[in-house]
Amino acid sequence: MGIGRCFWMVLLGLVFWTSTAVGQDHAEATKVDFEREIEPILAARCIKCHGPQKQKEGLRLDRSAFALRGGDSGEPGIVAGDSAHSELFRRITAHELDRMPPEGEPLTTAQVALIKRWIDEGASWPENGPTIEDESTHWSFQPVGEHGPPQTRGSWGSSPIDAFVLQKLEAEGLRPSPAADRVTLIRRLYLDLHGLLPTPAQVEAFTGDRREDAWERLVEESLASPRYGERWAQHWLDIVQYADSHGFEMNTPRPNAYHYRDYVIDALNDDLPYDRFIFEQLAGDTVGVHAATGFLVAGAWDEVLSKDPDDTALQRQDELTAMVNTTGTALLGLTLGCARCHNHKFDPVPQRDFYSMTAVFAGVRHGERALDSDKDKLVRVQQEELIEEVAALRAQLPGLRPGVNSRLNVERFPEVRACSVRMSIYATRGGAEPCIDELEVWSGELNVARTATPRSSGNYANNPKHRLEHINDGLFGNPRSWISNQAGGGWIQLDLAEPAQIDRISWGRDREERFTDRTAVGYVIEVAQTPGEWQVVSGSQNRRDPGDPGGLDSVAFGTDEVIARIAAAEKRRQKLKDYPVDAVYAGRLEQPGATHRLYRGDVREKREAVAPDILSALGSLGLAMDAPEEQRRVALARGISDSSNPLTARVMANRIWHHHFGAGIVATPGDFGANGAQPSHPELLDWLAMRLMREEWSLKQLHRLILLSDTYRQASAPNSEALARDADTRLLWRFPPRRLEAEVIRDCILQLSGSLDLTMGGPGFSTFEPNTNYVRVYAPKEELGPAEWRRMVYMHKVRMEKAPLFGSFDLPDAGQVCPKRSLSTTAIQALNLFNGTFVLDQARRMAANLEGLAMDPVVGAYRVAYGRRPNPSELNTARSFIQEQSLVAFCRAILNSNELVFIP
């Protein structure tokens, strides 16, 4: 019921009490003394109606700030001095369905008039307690604490992280596990950081390294590998719901979205400071990092717009909601989308805040824009150099003629004998195929073109208006013209019936002046005195810019050498102009109009305009309503990455911990609000967040701190006593083993078969058959080959479509943000992994590789897959199995084994 039944019942009490106490004779002259007469009634009624359990719902009248704000609907309950915009007044005067009080008789006319008067007089209500901001008492909204490592009774541990963990263990009467063996450690590190297995040579090197800092060295080498960025980029791409298609019923591909994926990989490999990582994803266009803003439009897009303006507005609001929600989940760990229709039910996020965040992104629309890559920059430099070269050459000409116009252009030159005339076009207005309605060749006052035979480089197909014979038929206008079949170029030639002395040529795009597109703006006109011997007599090289009427029509053309050089430079410039500019799906940016709060999220129910801003619980950006579009995103990026923001560093530190240990210190990495989990080690989380900020937001340094801890290096073996007290290993008495993700399982299978292609970056590969249907239908390829054997992070991800084979392993479908993957164990997973054609093919390839080794294939398989030698029992069993079945069947079993698909 919006602000809520109890809210209105209390206010009803206010009405009846005041109408009785004030008296009819003094109603118009006396203001209500709120503190003496009203506050006791409100306080009593509030406690009676609500009870303590209702306080968290925001239906409060015991504090003026909450009453003024209103209830969950987001509408202000009381707007002091303005009853017309007060939800209270609207509801007590509404029709039955919406009217308050919900039960009993409606208020009398006098009672309604009294409330109206009280509001219009200013709704005098002295502040009597906490303000709205004081509602932000949840732990995650408090400043990051300065916590030093605690004192513990035991001596275990080599880092502050271990001290925080040991303190919790000691409080529960638990002990940490011993250190894992070196084979386990290197496999854990490689699978965790790289998503790949260590090679037998790498395992042997580490297990044989007796230096005290052998582990530290291995960690440094692993963090420096480009495989790290590929592995950890996948975690981030999950959060932002990255995919290579739009989603919805069309599900059209985004062929250049991959630039954002490559940006994330490179940023992580380069250890881009996290605050800078945030800035570039929100406002990278302002610093020349265009691919980074793929973050803004990584989500789904409904490209089929409705004809109904309300439906179109709703689609647009859905787009903006996705941007706000992704930003909230990824960067702040909050579920901001919950405040679209009403104040957030659990967190200090008023509905107004949601629309202030919406205003930040109001100028961002789905679509492509120029990537401004290094190649693009080089092309621009070359274009500028050619412009300067042409200008210098034109300075050597006797003068310039008027610019080309679409109606009629006359090319004059000294009289010359000709048997053929040719016009070669290399640039047109708009870049389309050139069009000429008539080409005239003059010998005195005789147009000798009328009897000439036309030829061309190619003709526009299947259109009776545009034919080769129209070029010299004596008729003008678009319906009787010639068009080339080549975009931006082509040539037309007239072979004269007999040689003639000529001194000018005239031509136009459309002498009826209806069309101006396709006009030739870069061209050369040549004549041949004998077949094949061409001489330049005129062209665009000594003309001003198209449409510029200045200059003299009778200017001499200039020397052949200068004209030829100008023509060559202009042709090169045109080729560069036509050079495809790299594009990236990173959003189209425009200055937005006003953003309004929407009553109950309804696009037809606009309320007050809001300024672009961050959440009020985190401060204010101080922007004007009409702030420039890019300024909004820049300000938000700085506000989110400000060290005083209590959420940003905590959320990222927790996210990294989550992916190292399988669960975060806060078990809900996308929800740090009141509906999320409490931190298991709150002081440790703050210590990690503080270190992240003080280490210049270096993510690799945070990895380093975690990886070098004894907590990370514990064995993962179970302990019955510890399992009884902490079955989920939340207290970290051991390293929590877990199944690998779909991408890692697949990549390791390719690695073991020797098929893995480690080519980085660029367009991805697809496991679906190509199709160009209007509504895309994605059918899995029946056969996969080397083109599909790159790492899975480079796979073309189709939104809302399960990936063949490995989609059953809880692979997100990019339909929504995914800060934490689900984990299931199903029969279809086992069947796919055991019987899938991909696995069968890779098992055969693995077997072929093992047969080529100078060692027992069983020993070789164990070394590459598990990093160890088989024990005698395993060796004998495997040999017997191979003899009974085959080496391929044995490799198939290896690829399906728990020891392969779990981080130990």
Side-chain angles (χ1 to χ4, degrees):
M1 294 296 292
I3 292 184
R5 175 173 296 185
C6 291
F7 182 97
W8 303 109
M9 291 299 291
V10 173
L11 284 168
L12 179 60
L14 161 68
V15 171
F16 281 114
W17 187 89
T18 347
S19 62
T20 303
V22 171
Q24 190 69 30
D25 294 337
H26 300 85
E28 297 301 321
T30 306
K31 286 188 177 181
V32 176
D33 186 335
F34 182 88
E35 189 170 12
R36 181 174 61 83
E37 300 172 317
I38 303 303
E39 187 175 27
I41 300 299
L42 287 182
R45 289 296 185 91
C46 186
I47 294 172
K48 181 179 179 181
C49 292
H50 290 296
Q53 72 275 12
K54 290 289 185 180
Q55 297 300 314
K56 66 180 180 180
E57 297 182 6
L59 307 178
R60 296 174 59 176
L61 286 176
D62 60 334
R63 295 289 182 265
S64 60
F66 295 97
L68 293 170
R69 183 180 72 174
D72 291 334
S73 71
E75 293 294 292
I78 302 169
V79 180
D82 188 357
S83 59
H85 290 89
S86 296
E87 184 72 354
L88 163 61
F89 186 72
R90 188 188 75 80
R91 297 294 288 274
I92 63 176
T93 56
H95 296 293
E96 288 187 8
L97 183 63
D98 227 14
R99 188 179 61 204
M100 290 296 174
E103 298 175 356
E105 293 296 320
L107 302 186
T108 67
T109 302
Q111 291 161 351
V112 170
L114 182 60
I115 284 187
K116 182 178 187 300
R117 174 174 154 245
W118 176 66
I119 294 174
D120 289 338
E121 286 178 347
S124 177
W125 190 337
E127 182 53 64
N128 60 344
T131 62
I132 296 298
E133 288 70 21
D134 294 312
E135 193 181 31
S136 309
T137 57
H138 187 63
W139 69 267
S140 63
F141 287 89
Q142 305 311 304
V144 177
E146 293 269 7
H147 301 289
Q151 295 296 317
T152 58
R153 295 190 299 274
S155 59
W156 174 82
S158 59
S159 80
I161 290 175
D162 302 325
F164 287 108
V165 171
L166 184 58
Q167 181 188 44
K168 288 284 187 178
L169 291 175
E170 289 179 344
E172 295 295 324
L174 297 174
R175 297 184 303 276
S177 296
D181 62 79
R182 287 201 169 195
V183 171
T184 297
L185 284 177
I186 189 172
R187 293 186 78 248
R188 178 184 298 169
L189 181 67
Y190 271 65
L191 290 170
D192 185 11
L193 272 192
H194 295 172
L196 294 171
L197 295 162
T199 65
Q202 289 168 329
V203 173
E204 289 178 6
F206 177 59
T207 55
D209 190 344
R210 298 305 168 198
R211 291 174 292 186
E212 290 186 359
D213 62 347
W215 176 248
E216 288 82 353
R217 290 172 178 268
L218 185 65
V219 167
E220 291 303 319
E221 292 173 5
S222 300
L223 287 171
S225 169
R227 309 284 84 81
Y228 155 74
E230 292 173 326
R231 163 71 159 140
W232 281 74
Q234 187 63 68
H235 299 321
W236 187 258
L237 297 176
D238 278 1
I239 302 166
V240 305
Q241 58 183 323
Y242 170 85
D244 295 282
S245 69
H246 291 327
F248 291 94
E249 67 271 20
M250 299 284 289
N251 217 359
T252 306
R254 297 176 178 175
N256 48 38
Y258 71 87
H259 291 293
Y260 173 69
R261 174 248 293 156
D262 288 351
Y263 162 80
V264 175
I265 293 172
D266 292 342
L268 294 178
N269 277 331
D270 295 341
D271 197 19
L272 185 71
Y274 183 60
D275 60 342
R276 183 67 178 184
F277 187 56
I278 292 171
F279 182 90
E280 290 183 353
Q281 290 181 95
L282 292 175
D285 54 295
T286 67
V287 290
V289 189
H290 292 272
T293 61
F295 169 88
L296 300 172
V297 290
W301 179 48
D302 188 357
E303 61 185 305
V304 181
L305 297 179
S306 171
K307 295 181 179 179
D308 186 321
D310 288 341
D311 287 344
T312 300
L314 179 60
Q315 287 175 290
R316 174 59 177 156
Q317 187 57 50
D318 287 343
E319 295 171 17
L320 293 170
T321 296
M323 296 177 199
V324 172
N325 197 47
T326 299
T327 301
T329 301
L331 306 180
L332 298 172
L334 294 175
T335 55
L336 299 184
C338 296
R340 175 177 177 175
C341 300
H342 48 70
N343 295 333
H344 201 292
K345 295 288 187 180
F346 304 100
D347 301 331
V349 184
Q351 189 195 28
R352 184 183 178 91
D353 282 9
F354 174 85
Y355 287 99
S356 289
M357 287 282 284
T358 299
V360 172
F361 301 114
V364 180
R365 291 189 175 272
H366 275 263
E368 301 174 351
R369 69 171 188 272
L371 177 62
D372 198 28
S373 63
D374 290 342
K375 181 182 71 176
D376 295 337
K377 293 174 183 176
L378 178 60
V379 168
R380 282 203 304 273
V381 169
Q382 293 174 337
Q383 287 177 327
E384 291 169 0
E385 291 174 347
L386 287 170
I387 290 173
E388 293 176 359
E389 179 181 345
V390 169
L393 288 168
R394 280 183 170 173
Q396 301 177 33
L397 297 175
L400 294 179
R401 297 188 294 152
V404 167
N405 70 79
S406 298
R407 189 182 70 82
L408 177 64
N409 301 278
V410 179
E411 314 287 342
R412 302 180 188 278
F413 44 85
E415 186 176 287
V416 61
R417 182 177 175 80
C419 67
S420 297
V421 172
R422 182 170 66 187
M423 182 177 184
S424 299
I425 302 166
Y426 55 83
T428 63
R429 178 175 292 157
E433 300 90 342
C435 176
I436 298 177
D437 69 348
E438 192 75 10
L439 185 62
E440 300 170 310
V441 181
W442 297 96
S443 177
E445 298 303 316
L446 178 66
N447 177 14
V448 295
R450 290 296 310 280
T451 57
T453 302
R455 288 194 288 165
S456 73
S457 57
N459 308 309
Y460 201 74
N462 303 320
N463 193 317
K465 295 180 180 180
H466 311 294
R467 303 177 64 86
L468 177 63
E469 55 265 31
H470 293 171
I471 193 69
N472 62 333
D473 63 356
L475 301 176
F476 303 135
N478 187 69
R480 300 288 297 184
S481 63
W482 167 80
I483 296 183
S484 168
N485 66 345
Q486 177 185 336
W491 54 263
I492 184 73
Q493 179 175 325
L494 294 177
D495 295 327
L496 304 182
E498 58 184 38
Q501 296 292 123
I502 63 175
D503 62 357
R504 67 191 187 281
I505 293 172
S506 55
W507 63 275
R509 156 63 178 101
D510 179 11
R511 299 196 201 188
E512 294 180 348
E513 300 186 78
R514 295 178 57 197
F515 296 92
T516 61
D517 64 328
R518 303 179 183 271
T519 302
V521 294
Y523 61 91
V524 170
I525 293 179
E526 302 166 284
V527 300
Q529 296 187 28
T530 57
E533 296 183 1
W534 296 100
Q535 172 189 352
V536 176
V537 294
S538 190
S540 59
Q541 293 72 41
N542 69 340
R543 286 191 179 274
R544 293 177 177 271
D545 292 336
D548 184 344
L552 300 174
D553 197 43
S554 59
V555 171
F557 193 48
T559 66
D560 290 348
E561 178 185 359
V562 174
I563 292 299
R565 288 172 63 188
I566 292 175
E570 286 188 335
K571 289 178 181 178
R572 293 198 305 272
R573 182 185 170 195
Q574 186 61 37
K575 286 183 178 179
L576 290 175
K577 185 177 180 181
D578 294 339
Y579 198 87
V581 175
D582 284 338
V584 57
Y585 197 88
R588 294 181 290 106
L589 308 174
E590 61 187 28
Q591 182 63 25
T595 298
H596 296 263
R597 184 175 63 84
L598 303 179
Y599 178 60
R600 294 180 178 176
D602 190 338
V603 295
R604 297 166 299 181
E605 295 284 349
K606 291 183 178 181
R607 293 298 190 261
E608 73 278 6
V610 296
D613 215 336
I614 198 169
L615 304 182
S616 57
L618 302 176
S620 176
L621 303 179
L623 296 174
M625 292 273 189
D626 59 349
E629 190 281 325
E630 66 177 31
Q631 189 181 105
R632 304 174 184 215
R633 292 179 290 110
V634 168
L636 179 65
R638 289 172 177 163
I640 289 177
S641 59
D642 192 289
S643 59
S644 66
N645 185 329
L647 290 166
T648 307
R650 278 189 179 121
V651 169
M652 193 56 183
N654 184 72
R655 205 180 299 287
I656 289 177
W657 188 274
H658 165 80
H659 291 300
H660 279 308
F661 291 99
I665 296 173
V666 176
T668 51
D671 189 357
F672 270 45
N675 209 35
Q678 291 287 317
S680 59
H681 300 73
E683 293 82 8
L684 172 57
L685 179 59
D686 276 10
W687 184 85
L688 291 169
M690 190 63 74
R691 288 300 298 265
L692 174 60
M693 291 186 286
R694 289 182 175 173
E695 295 286 349
E696 298 182 348
W697 296 90
S698 167
L699 297 182
K700 285 191 176 182
Q701 178 58 17
L702 196 58
H703 285 297
R704 194 174 287 114
L705 290 169
I706 294 171
L707 297 172
L708 296 180
S709 70
D710 287 352
T711 300
Y712 184 83
R713 287 184 280 181
Q714 291 180 99
S716 59
N719 176 306
S720 58
E721 178 185 356
L723 283 172
R725 296 189 181 188
D726 182 25
D728 295 331
T729 322
R730 295 289 292 137
L731 299 179
L732 297 168
W733 51 269
R734 65 166 176 163
F735 181 85
R738 63 186 185 277
R739 194 186 70 198
L740 296 167
E741 301 96 322
E743 296 91 342
V744 184
I745 295 173
R746 175 191 173 278
D747 291 352
C748 286
I749 289 174
L750 287 170
Q751 183 184 12
L752 291 175
S753 71
S755 304
L756 184 62
D757 179 357
L758 291 176
T759 300
M760 294 183 68
F765 64 90
S766 178
T767 54
F768 293 98
E769 295 288 353
N771 76 93
T772 56
N773 296 340
Y774 179 70
V775 176
R776 299 303 170 109
V777 178
Y778 290 95
K781 290 181 177 178
E782 294 184 2
E783 295 184 2
L784 301 177
E788 292 82 33
W789 290 347
R790 296 174 67 193
R791 296 201 68 176
M792 196 168 173
V793 71
Y794 299 114
M795 183 184 75
H796 185 92
K797 189 174 184 67
V798 178
R799 198 180 306 276
M800 303 298 292
E801 192 77 40
K802 184 173 287 188
L805 182 60
F806 291 96
S808 61
F809 285 88
D810 307 302
L811 194 67
D813 64 6
Q816 57 187 352
V817 292
C818 182
K820 179 181 180 180
R821 290 191 181 187
S822 57
L823 183 62
S824 65
T825 302
T826 66
I828 195 68
Q829 294 169 349
L831 290 171
N832 280 348
L833 202 57
F834 194 71
N835 297 320
T837 55
F838 171 80
V839 176
L840 295 176
D841 179 46
Q842 299 308 315
R844 286 190 290 269
R845 295 175 184 279
M846 180 180 176
N849 287 342
L850 292 174
E851 287 175 337
L853 297 177
M855 66 174 67
D856 187 314
V858 176
V859 175
Y862 269 71
R863 290 179 73 239
V864 296
Y866 308 142
R868 63 179 179 85
R869 298 179 66 86
N871 62 40
S873 174
E874 291 171 329
L875 183 62
N876 292 332
T877 301
R879 285 173 174 170
S880 298
F881 179 83
I882 292 171
Q883 187 173 5
E884 293 176 6
Q885 300 292 326
S886 67
L887 181 57
V888 172
F890 169 70
C891 290
R892 186 179 172 192
I894 289 287
L895 297 181
N896 279 266
S897 61
N898 276 348
E899 190 170 351
L900 178 66
V901 300
F902 269 76
I903 292 183

